[in-house]
């Protein structure tokens, strides 16, 4: 049977959107005649990114609850009722065989109405600290695909399947050679390379850290590939030099990972999953302002396996150089971190999630 119908819902951030697109792509590979519909939140990035990936999307009038009293909070009950009614209409009309939620505001109303109608639903939780939407849906869905151990503190144990997080297919098998990657970035093959990642929008504190330590990195003999984010490029592009390559956004992440000898990164779920596959010595600087401080939780889960170094933003001034040099000056430490982070990789995540979906629809 190839004419299956699937609804996927998740958004607000790339961490929710791209896993949903990866799952849809794998299901489409298995069932070329299947129909797909995405459901997101109006005015959020999924309304742009999903059509770019070739899929239809419907938008719900839904936002999260603000932490302080605002007009948006007063509108929340109205938006929720509106979204539930709209979700009910979408599900009734599309008649999906399965619904997949990857987190974010819109997936709540959509999966709620799908479960009411008895449609098999699967959650995909990217982080080591579960999001509020997925926690609210846990009792009604059939399966919950996770990327970390000990998730039974959030979800029913009998529903949990550890699959990992979907990552871009070009990162599962890095095909570029080291020399090709270095030539792409016009780097010196005789020097070690530090890759700095703050996400597509950039990370203010990481950018400040790098800018303040450029002479330090060069004194160590390092060259730097620095993704500062499109919002910061004008500020930092003047640092461009033979040894410092500044980018608003890296379009060839596979080559960036191959070129790197050391990596500084935020600790979003997608980044962590990718870096486990890459297997390079990594310094995580979690964002302290994300919901439930989940980036710190993600990083700590790797630190607990001696697979990465974590430095909190508030500790950077005091300990960054000490922590960095403890790895930079020890080949043994580098090998240990690389081996341990690589051992945590789950490269078949997308296929394993789709296997769980197939079990439900068959």
């Amino acid at each position: 049977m190839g004419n299956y119908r699937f609804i996927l819902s998740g958004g607000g951030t790339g961490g929710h959107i791209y896993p949903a697109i990866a799952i849809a792509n794998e299901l489409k590979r298995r069932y070329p005649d299947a129909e797909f519909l995405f459901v997101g939140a109006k005015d959020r990035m999924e309304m742009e990114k999903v059509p770019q990936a070739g899929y239809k999307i419907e938008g719900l009038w839904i936002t999260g609850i603000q932490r302080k009293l605002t007009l948006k909070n007063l509108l929340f009950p109205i938006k929720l009722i509106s979204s539930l009614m709209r979700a009910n209409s979408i599900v009734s009309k599309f008649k999906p065989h399965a619904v997949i939620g990857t987190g974010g505001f819109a997936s709540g109303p959509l999966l709620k109405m799908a479960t009411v109608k008895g449609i098999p639903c699967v959650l995909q939780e990217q982080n080591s600290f579960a999001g509020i939407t997925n926690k609210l849906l846990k009792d009604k869905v059939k399966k919950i695909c996770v990327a970390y151990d000990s998730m039974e503190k959030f979800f029913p144990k009998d529903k949990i399947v550890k699959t990992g997080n979907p990552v871009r297919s070009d990162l599962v098998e890095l095909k570029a050679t080291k020399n090709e990657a270095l030539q792409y970035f016009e780097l010196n093959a005789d020097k070690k390379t530090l890759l700095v990642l703050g996400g597509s929008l950039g990370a203010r504190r990481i950018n400040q850290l790098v800018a303040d330590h450029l002479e330090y990195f060069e004194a160590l003999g390092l060259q730097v590939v620095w993704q500062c984010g499109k919002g910061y490029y004008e500020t930092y592009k003047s640092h461009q030099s033979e040894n410092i390559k500044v980018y608003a956004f890296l379009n060839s992440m596979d080559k960036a990972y191959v070129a790197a000898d050391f990596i500084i990164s935020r600790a979003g779920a997608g980044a962590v999953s990718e870096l486990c596959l890459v297997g390079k010595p990594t310094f995580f600087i979690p964002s302290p302002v994300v919901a439930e401080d989940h980036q710190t939780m993600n990083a700590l889960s790797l630190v607990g396996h001696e697979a990465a170094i974590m430095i909190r933003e508030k500790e950077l001034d005091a300990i960054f150089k000490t922590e960095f040099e403890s790895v930079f000056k020890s080949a043994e430490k580098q090998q240990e971190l690389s081996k341990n982070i690589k051992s945590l990789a789950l490269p078949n995540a997308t296929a394993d999630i789709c296997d769980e979906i197939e079990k439900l629809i068959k």
Side-chain angles (χ1 to χ4, degrees):
M1 180 177 177
N3 57 339
Y4 286 115
R5 293 180 297 279
F6 301 100
I7 295 181
L8 299 100
S9 185
T13 68
H16 296 312
I17 298 165
Y18 296 119
I21 291 172
I23 293 166
N25 288 343
E26 174 62 15
L27 288 170
K28 189 174 184 179
R29 186 191 68 78
R30 298 184 186 196
Y31 304 105
D33 296 326
E35 295 179 52
F36 295 87
L37 178 65
F38 280 68
V39 175
K42 287 182 178 178
D43 302 322
R44 298 303 294 256
M45 64 184 292
E46 58 263 31
M47 303 306 292
E48 174 187 352
K49 298 299 182 183
V50 169
Q52 287 176 356
Y55 295 101
K56 297 177 183 177
I57 186 168
E58 300 269 1
L60 303 181
W61 187 43
I62 188 71
T63 54
I65 299 176
Q66 307 296 308
R67 293 177 183 265
K68 54 187 177 181
L69 185 62
T70 65
L71 179 60
K72 289 183 178 180
N73 276 353
L74 296 176
L75 286 173
F76 179 76
I78 300 170
K79 290 183 177 183
L80 180 59
I81 293 169
S82 168
S83 294
L84 286 167
M85 293 174 64
R86 178 75 179 128
N88 182 64
S89 174
I90 290 170
V91 173
S92 297
K93 183 177 179 181
F94 193 75
K95 296 182 172 59
H97 292 88
V99 175
I100 301 98
T102 58
F105 309 136
S107 65
L110 194 282
L111 269 78
K112 170 66 176 175
M113 299 317 299
T115 58
V116 167
K117 295 178 180 297
I119 296 165
C121 293
V122 175
L123 291 179
Q124 198 263 320
E125 174 56 59
Q126 298 92 33
N127 293 294
S128 62
F129 194 98
I132 188 169
T133 301
N134 283 351
K135 285 190 285 187
L136 289 171
L137 293 165
K138 68 181 188 298
D139 293 325
K140 300 298 183 183
V141 301
K142 297 291 186 183
K143 288 291 178 183
I144 305 170
C145 297
V146 302
Y148 294 90
D149 294 323
S150 304
M151 295 301 286
E152 57 270 13
K153 59 179 175 280
F154 303 112
F155 303 126
K157 188 174 182 179
D158 61 330
K159 295 184 179 183
I160 294 174
V161 183
K162 186 180 178 184
T163 58
N165 288 322
V167 297
R168 288 167 285 191
S169 57
D170 60 336
L171 301 181
V172 174
E173 185 179 351
L174 297 171
K175 295 180 179 178
T177 66
K178 182 85 169 185
N179 281 338
E180 288 171 346
L182 292 171
Q183 288 174 12
Y184 178 85
F185 290 106
E186 299 180 339
L187 295 169
N188 187 336
D190 295 325
K191 291 186 174 184
K192 297 286 188 180
T193 302
L194 170 64
L195 172 63
V196 180
L197 304 170
S200 58
L201 299 178
R204 182 178 63 86
R205 188 64 186 91
I206 291 179
N207 286 334
Q208 289 175 344
L209 174 80
V210 175
D212 291 344
H213 286 77
L214 288 177
E215 290 184 6
Y216 167 72
F217 292 140
E218 291 202 67
L220 292 176
L222 277 168
Q223 51 198 355
V224 181
V225 176
W226 178 10
Q227 179 181 274
C228 64
K230 58 185 180 182
Y232 296 94
Y233 183 69
E234 291 301 317
T235 302
Y236 294 108
K237 66 180 183 181
S238 61
H239 293 294
Q240 194 86 243
S241 70
E242 182 181 352
N243 293 319
I244 311 298
K245 311 296 183 179
V246 185
Y247 296 86
F249 185 76
L250 289 167
N251 291 312
S252 297
M253 282 304 305
D254 56 333
K255 292 185 178 67
Y257 284 138
V258 171
D261 296 287
F262 307 94
I263 299 172
I264 293 174
S265 176
R266 283 300 200 203
V272 171
S273 295
E274 289 183 3
L275 291 167
C276 287
L277 287 170
V278 172
K280 302 289 178 74
T282 300
F283 301 83
F284 286 114
I285 304 173
S287 170
V289 297
V290 295
E292 311 288 359
D293 199 21
H294 66 251
Q295 287 203 9
T296 298
M297 305 297 181
N298 292 347
L300 284 172
S301 69
L302 271 69
V303 171
H305 289 89
E306 299 184 353
I309 304 295
M310 185 188 85
I311 311 173
R312 299 175 193 270
E313 281 195 356
K314 62 184 180 183
E315 300 172 331
L316 284 172
D317 291 336
I319 69 171
F320 174 74
K321 285 186 178 180
T322 302
E323 292 289 337
F324 189 81
E325 288 183 30
S326 72
V327 177
F328 180 76
K329 294 182 176 180
S330 172
E332 183 180 351
K333 184 68 172 176
Q334 292 168 31
Q335 292 169 4
E336 179 188 20
L337 288 172
S338 293
K339 176 185 174 184
N340 290 345
I341 196 170
K342 190 85 171 177
S343 72
L344 300 176
L346 295 166
N348 300 317
T350 308
D352 290 346
I353 292 166
C354 290
D355 288 346
E356 295 301 318
I357 297 167
E358 281 192 328
K359 291 174 188 175
L360 295 177
I361 60 177
K362 289 184 176 180

